[in-house]
Amino acid sequence: DPLARATAELATGLFSVSQARRKPKIPKGTRDFAPEQMAIREKAFATIHGVFKRHGAVAIDTPVFELKETLTGKYGEESKLIYDLADQGGEICSLRYDLTVPFARYVAMNGVGSIKRYHIARVYRRDNPAMNRGRFREFYQCDLDIAGSYGLMIPDSEILKILTEVLDALDVGRYAVKINHRRLLDAILEIAGVPAAKFRPICSAIDKLDKEPWEAVRAEMVEEKGLAPAVADAIGTFVCLKGEPRALLARLQHEGRFAAHAGGRAALDEMATLFSYLDAFRCLDKFSFDLSLARGLDYYTGVIYEAVFTETDQVGSIAAGGRYDDLVGMFNPSAKQIPAVGVSIGIERIFTIMEQKAKAAGQVRENETEVYVAQIGAGLLEERMRIAAELWAAGVKAEFMYAAEPKLQKQLAAALEGGVPLVVIVGEDELKQGLVKLKDLNARTEEPVPRAEVAQAALKALGRAPK
Amino acid sequence: DPLARATAELATGLFSVSQARRKPKIPKGTRDFAPEQMAIREKAFATIHGVFKRHGAVAIDTPVFELKETLTGKYGEESKLIYDLADQGGEICSLRYDLTVPFARYVAMNGVGSIKRYHIARVYRRDNPAMNRGRFREFYQCDLDIAGSYGLMIPDSEILKILTEVLDALDVGRYAVKINHRRLLDAILEIAGVPAAKFRPICSAIDKLDKEPWEAVRAEMVEEKGLAPAVADAIGTFVCLKGEPRALLARLQHEGRFAAHAGGRAALDEMATLFSYLDAFRCLDKFSFDLSLARGLDYYTGVIYEAVFTETDQVGSIAAGGRYDDLVGMFNPSAKQIPAVGVSIGIERIFTIMEQKAKAAGQVRENETEVYVAQIGAGLLEERMRIAAELWAAGVKAEFMYAAEPKLQKQLAAALEGGVPLVVIVGEDELKQGLVKLKDLNARTEEPVPRAEVAQAALKALGRAPK
């Protein structure tokens, strides 16, 4: 049928034209990083790297996707946000949702007995994105975890020390680290009279206290989750408590209801030990003991924490973590447990703050070029290339204009715009005398240097030792 | 039905037990990186980063997945290897297949007129993995591309200079860079009498010449692709030619068949210009002009190249690239073309070589810890913590054992095993005199230092300036 074929061809043609002409897009909830953003991001990563290495951590890396079964049953209600790969034959895989579960899988699979590792990588969540508030579907996490059987609260306290060092080094403003203990929360719920089956839903209600007032959370407990009003009020007397760690600890230790509860007493003893260690590390002043901190994830078993900004009106945590002693065992064929504790720093909000600061402070250099190799007159492209090659060989960062006969004015403008401090100017007359000009754009000086020593002269002008 | 329910519960129980007991796995064709591998990988990346920055390149980053339509129609037959995400509602996305197409999409989407950018990131191919030969489904590419309207062959030559600097800096052994021109290949096919419709399939046959002898490739052309034997033989007289760039160029320029072919003549003129620039950059000796180089991808329009090892028996390319002047235009709503040229360094084989070298040379340190803080006697955990905190504050990389009362022998063994050069030993008796011991494990010396000056003493022993 020639008519049908012609129609089909026309439709295909129109389709491919509309394809070609459509403005290109990236997936919802993701973003590109432009050069000036990358310059800031690389600086932040270098800072975090530096702190992690100062504490003797080692790096590992895992694939961006895992077998789907690896992620199944680890995230509770949040599992619905996992990105699956299409079934194209072979294994069923999902993009990693965090770095903790792949870490536990790594430890179990490789029979690792103990490790202090960091991992800086992207994770994926099919969440409702809120780009301007720093919530993306693809975002970086900077994780440090310590796995192994160690003295009570010792690795926990170093993790928290590391967290404060990272936030201090990034210099992003005032923050506080809220801290609590999962078993203390369990004790509160038990003492208040919450039935065991309701622990999880009530915990997730408590977790909303950083965004909602107690009245709203109480209403959720009573109306939605069917808690007796007196039980909710009993919870309320505890979870509104927060403050300086040792002061609140002393108050709770003298509180009769905890003294009579073995689990609660044990959790308070662990907190006392932790606070001593944080004091020895000289960072206890950054912490707030906060009985309302609950953390959504299923796998925590001990101390839990969350860092928040205190001087901006930005909502949400910048880092969080806790102890999870049972997660590695879920992957171990022998069910052998490897206790672990870790922290995950969500760097996206920190990038946003650093970007705002950099913009306020003026130009961010996108590259680090030190010398621009320019020519005056004609026929000197290959001479510029030879000089650039000599500079590169000496370890000097150098560029030149990609044109056969560029105007000097244009070359100087390019150097100034890029913030390049030095310009080498090649001209036919000077070359005949074996010279080139070395121009310092900051000092506004210019001096002739021997053509044969151009790299050494540049290094000297940059205040760097010759290679 | 209580029986059915009991059976179902039993089955679920058994299933979850078998889940828990199964040995954990990672997806086929992917791998974890252990700390000693990461130490090597980070060194390689730092080297590549350093070369890219020396040439004034800027960094960008793009999401790990793109809209599926972005990748469609860019990879020819290889498209079947693209990983798709599952359709979970919303947009249809695929994992990136290379970094070039996302770069072209970025340039078009952001209206970039010119950029010299690098991107070091993982790409994904549902290929048949061959792990021991360095072929993975998830692997790193290190790309540098220059987009913009510039003088003929100038950015092309700098890309090739950068490629040689990277391979030299990584010090992975002897290599050669094969170089050819797409339009020269077109001219060869036209001169030989290949019908235009068969250019692509014949090109992909030629591309196999690095793995198969000419006889096999000729048979494919004649028997599978229906080329007349005389036409295949005419191709053969050309594509077996390779050698020192300027010598082969001169031979081809004096070859009557090219002199009479406008496209071929123009391509040879471009190669002549390129070789002059490579000579100015002092790297022409790394190149081999090779008429058999064809490159599989559809989007190349000018010079093409591929780096291969020449001293090992490893097969396959370590880097490849070329000019692609029409790719950005495929994404531009106005169809505006931004010409571009780039190179992609496939780092996996290079990692393998570096790992073998490191193993042969002895221990690779997984971290960089400088001081191990040890105790002799009892009750000194918090004192060790205070000393560690002072070292960290001074920028010294320090660790201590996570135990309340560790034996000195065990602590010294841990320091030795980790290759840590210094040990601070805290003991009750010395502390009373305001002293600790500083032990140098390499020099096998030990000296008392004032407790209050432990960080300064460590810095001095490490040969570092105080902070």
Side-chain angles (χ1 to χ4, degrees), chain A residues 454-467:
Chain A
V454 61
Q456 298 311 314
L459 282 169
K460 201 180 149 207
L462 292 164
R464 289 172 45 190
K467 211 184 161 186

Side-chain angles (χ1 to χ4, degrees), chain B residues 213-350:
Chain B
W214 166 247
E215 289 67 33
V217 171
R218 183 184 182 280
E220 182 182 329
M221 289 177 177
V222 174
E223 285 153 34
E224 283 175 45
K225 299 191 167 158
L227 215 59
V231 174
D233 290 335
I235 296 171
T237 61
F238 287 112
V239 298
C240 294
L241 297 177
K242 60 180 143 189
E244 194 278 312
R246 283 178 159 165
L248 181 52
L249 179 71
R251 186 172 156 190
L252 296 175
Q253 281 170 327
H254 290 94
E255 162 79 54
R257 287 177 295 181
F258 280 116
H261 188 282
R265 238 170 28 232
L268 288 178
D269 286 349
E270 290 196 5
M271 293 303 263
T273 303
L274 177 63
F275 296 157
S276 291
Y277 295 165
L278 293 177
D279 191 33
F281 282 144
R282 305 277 180 258
C283 64
L284 186 57
D285 59 313
K286 316 272 187 183
F287 291 84
S288 166
F289 190 3
D290 189 330
L291 295 190
S292 74
L293 180 71
R295 304 285 302 129
L297 290 174
D298 282 0
Y299 50 62
Y300 292 117
T301 57
V303 62
I304 48 178
Y305 30 83
E306 186 168 339
V308 293
F309 289 115
T310 54
E311 68 176 319
T312 70
D313 49 2
Q314 286 186 298
V315 175
S317 71
I318 39 174
R323 175 163 283 281
Y324 50 98
D325 285 347
D326 302 336
L327 188 58
V328 176
M330 290 175 79
F331 291 107
N332 249 337
S334 63
K336 192 188 163 199
Q337 296 295 357
I338 306 277
V341 60
V343 68
S344 179
I345 299 161
I347 195 78
E348 306 298 338
R349 285 194 190 88
I350 294 174

Side-chain angles (χ1 to χ4, degrees), chain A residues 32 41 56 61 105 158 367, chain B residues 32 41 56 61 105 367 402:
Chain A
D32 292 322
R41 199 175 96 174
D61 199 4
R105 192 268 307 149
E158 185 168 348
N367 66 16
Chain B
D32 291 321
R41 199 174 96 176
D61 199 4
R105 192 268 307 149
N367 66 15
Y402 295 152

Side-chain angles (χ1 to χ4, degrees), chain A residues 204-332:
Chain A
S204 78
I206 294 173
D207 206 32
K208 294 175 186 160
L209 273 174
D210 57 342
K211 288 175 204 112
E212 294 176 14
W214 166 247
E215 288 68 32
V217 171
R218 183 185 183 279
E220 182 182 330
M221 289 178 176
V222 174
E223 285 153 34
E224 283 176 43
K225 299 192 167 158
L227 215 58
V231 174
D233 290 334
I235 296 172
T237 61
F238 287 112
V239 297
C240 294
L241 297 177
K242 59 181 145 190
E244 195 278 313
R246 282 177 160 165
L248 181 54
L249 180 70
R251 186 171 156 191
L252 296 176
Q253 281 171 326
H254 290 93
E255 161 79 55
R257 288 176 295 181
F258 280 117
H261 187 282
R265 237 170 30 232
L268 288 178
D269 286 350
E270 291 196 4
M271 292 304 264
T273 304
L274 178 63
F275 297 156
S276 292
Y277 295 166
L278 293 177
D279 192 33
F281 282 143
R282 306 276 182 257
C283 63
L284 186 57
D285 58 313
K286 316 270 187 184
F287 290 85
S288 165
F289 190 4
D290 187 331
L291 295 191
S292 73
L293 180 72
R295 303 286 302 127
L297 291 173
D298 282 0
Y299 50 61
Y300 292 117
T301 56
V303 62
I304 48 178
Y305 31 82
E306 186 168 340
V308 292
F309 289 115
T310 54
E311 67 176 322
T312 70
D313 49 2
Q314 286 188 299
V315 176
S317 70
I318 39 176
R323 174 162 284 281
Y324 51 98
D325 285 346
D326 302 336
L327 188 59
V328 176
M330 290 174 78
F331 292 106
N332 248 337

